[in-house]
Amino acid sequence: MSVRPVTADDVDVVVGLVRELADYEKSLDEARMTPAQLHEALFGDSPALFGHVAEDDDGTVVGFALWFLNFSTWRGTHGVYLEDLYVSPAHRGTGLGRELLRTLAAVCVERGYARLEWSVLDWNTPSIEFYRAAGARPQDGWSVFRLTDRALHDFAQERTT
């Protein structure tokens, strides 16, 4: 088993795994990313998304972590925001998820980044337990807000300048 940076050859498999994750999170209808979009985000002229994949003993990609940089104005440094971490159900409990998360922690340490953070659904007890076992703690008192679809467009149109 191993973890390595994502390559262009992994894009189709990663998109499939993203769809598996969306199905697990009961949001398959919201998973609209195409292989072309992921390829552009990872390997286009100005990539702002980064990723790692986890392979089983046969070299088959069975998990991934997609992430991007954020910035802490309090710490004055970048951090990593983990957009998604997923390991297919047949390969859970093998240490691949932990190794993906450790790889991102190492990226932070090597680059002098102050934080590795992510969101997890309140009902996703297995993931919450996994993250707590790694030493992560929830940020109580904070709520995630999001503008999407029609609300995003409507709000943007209200600009006065």
Side-chain angles (χ1 to χ4, degrees):
M1 295 182 291
S2 66
V3 170
R4 61 172 173 76
V6 67
T7 68
D9 291 338
D10 300 319
V11 167
D12 288 337
V13 173
V14 172
V15 170
L17 290 169
V18 167
R19 287 195 169 84
E20 280 185 30
L21 170 61
D23 190 38
Y24 173 75
E25 291 185 349
K26 302 169 180 62
S27 301
L28 184 57
D29 59 321
E30 294 180 39
R32 302 175 192 152
M33 180 175 63
T34 66
Q37 288 173 314
L38 182 58
H39 187 276
E40 179 65 23
L42 288 166
F43 306 108
D45 291 337
S46 299
L49 182 69
F50 309 95
H52 287 79
V53 294
E55 296 177 321
D56 66 9
D57 292 333
D58 297 327
T60 302
V61 173
V62 297
F64 72 92
L66 294 175
W67 55 277
F68 55 89
L69 295 180
N70 58 16
F71 188 83
S72 170
T73 55
W74 290 14
R75 297 287 183 102
T77 65
H78 283 289
V80 165
Y81 187 85
L82 173 58
E83 179 63 22
D84 285 319
L85 184 145
Y86 180 76
V87 174
S88 62
H91 294 88
R92 291 185 189 150
T94 63
L96 284 172
R98 182 173 278 272
E99 195 60 25
L100 281 164
L101 197 59
R102 279 190 179 132
T103 298
L104 298 188
V107 166
C108 290
V109 171
E110 290 164 7
R111 298 182 185 180
Y113 298 160
R115 295 178 176 165
L116 170 57
E117 45 192 14
W118 59 90
S119 298
V120 62
L121 293 166
D122 291 338
W123 59 261
N124 193 345
T125 305
S127 292
I128 292 169
E129 291 173 2
F130 167 75
Y131 294 134
R132 283 185 184 273
R137 296 293 169 252
Q139 296 299 294
D140 294 332
W142 292 84
S143 295
V144 176
F145 284 80
R146 180 177 295 160
L147 279 171
T148 61
D149 302 324
R150 186 81 238 146
L152 176 66
H153 289 275
D154 290 348
F155 189 67
Q157 287 179 341
E158 295 172 9
R159 289 184 65 209
T160 58
T161 57

